[in-house]
């Protein structure tokens, strides 16, 4: 028994750094595999998310109501264009001779959407990018619309947040 313990201590002293490196490597491999699965689920939920105008308007109103002197705020945004999703597609070209006296050809293009197949989740198109809506204008109703300072701060905030020029933002006093 004493011989076995001495041998273990000898091997530990000789190879402790090597063993430590292997243990750390195994821990790194295990830890990098766990977030990858969570990341894939997170990416798919991001792809499935869509822009909700009502939720966005409410969050803008909540933020604007935090401006000193603004009071209660209601926001109405009008859209120039809606949300657009751009998907990957395969384009194939085919040429066909039309015959006749002149040597003319007609070219046809065929586009098919690229599909990503995942064994457990089925098939889904490959999303390249999502273009969020662009805003046309905004109507802001607030209790503090009497103050020029509050009006200016609201115009600047909405302009920066939504990309709307100041001449497309209307601010009116909210009735009591």
């Amino acid at each position: 028994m004493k011989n076995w313990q001495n041998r273990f201590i000898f091997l530990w002293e000789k190879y402790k750094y090597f063993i430590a490196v292997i243990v750390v490597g195994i821990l790194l491999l295990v830890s990098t595999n766990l977030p990858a699965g969570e990341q894939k689920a997170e990416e798919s939920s991001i792809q499935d998310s869509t822009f909700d105008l009502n939720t966005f308007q409410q969050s803008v109103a909540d933020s604007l109501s935090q401006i000193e002197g603004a009071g209660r705020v209601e926001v109405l945004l009008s859209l120039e264009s809606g949300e657009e999703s751009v998907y990957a597609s395969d384009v194939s070209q085919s040429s066909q001779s039309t015959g006749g006296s002149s040597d003319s050809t007609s070219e046809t293009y065929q586009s098919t959407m690229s599909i990503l197949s995942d064994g457990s989740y089925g098939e889904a198109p490959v999303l390249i990018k999502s273009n969020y809506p662009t805003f046309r204008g905004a109507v802001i109703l607030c209790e503090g619309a009497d103050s020029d300072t509050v009006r200016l701060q609201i115009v600047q905030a909405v302009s920066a947040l939504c990309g709307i020029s100041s001449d497309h933002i209307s601010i009116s006093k909210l009735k009591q």
Side-chain angles (χ1 to χ4, degrees):
M1 180 77 167
K2 191 97 164 142
N3 187 22
W4 181 81
Q5 288 176 345
N6 288 340
R7 177 175 262 173
F8 179 77
I9 291 171
F10 170 75
L11 289 174
W12 175 253
E13 289 297 323
K14 187 172 182 181
Y15 296 109
K16 66 182 172 187
Y17 296 112
F18 180 72
I19 293 171
V21 168
I22 289 182
V23 169
V24 168
I26 290 172
L27 290 175
L28 285 174
L29 284 174
V30 170
S31 67
T32 56
N33 286 338
L34 291 178
E38 293 173 4
Q39 184 180 5
K40 286 181 184 176
E42 191 174 298
E43 286 175 359
S44 66
S45 69
I46 289 172
Q47 285 183 350
D48 295 339
S49 68
T50 58
F51 178 78
D52 183 20
L53 181 61
N54 292 330
T55 304
F56 184 72
Q57 288 177 152
Q58 186 59 47
S59 65
V60 171
D62 292 342
S63 297
L64 293 177
S65 67
Q66 300 299 315
I67 294 175
E68 186 175 340
R72 192 167 59 103
V73 177
E74 293 182 17
V75 175
L76 177 64
L77 297 168
S78 64
L79 297 177
E80 181 77 31
S81 64
E83 183 178 16
E84 178 186 19
S85 298
V86 179
Y87 295 100
S89 62
D90 296 324
V91 178
S92 60
Q93 175 187 5
S94 62
S95 298
Q96 185 176 12
S97 177
T98 58
S101 61
S102 63
D103 290 329
S104 62
T105 60
S106 69
E107 294 183 359
T108 57
Y109 295 92
Q110 182 177 3
S111 176
T112 56
M113 191 175 297
S114 297
I115 302 293
L116 181 65
S117 178
D118 188 0
S120 61
Y121 296 110
E123 296 179 344
V126 178
L127 181 67
I128 294 176
K129 67 178 179 174
S130 289
N131 296 328
Y132 287 102
T134 55
F135 297 101
R136 176 180 300 172
V139 174
I140 312 295
L141 303 173
C142 72
E143 292 175 342
D146 294 341
S147 169
D148 290 336
T149 305
V150 171
R151 292 170 62 92
L152 178 63
Q153 288 176 338
I154 289 176
V155 166
Q156 289 175 339
V158 172
S159 179
L161 184 63
C162 301
I164 304 171
S165 62
S166 61
D167 60 331
H168 289 102
I169 300 171
S170 175
I171 301 175
S172 298
K173 182 154 179 71
L174 189 65
K175 72 177 183 179
Q176 300 290 334

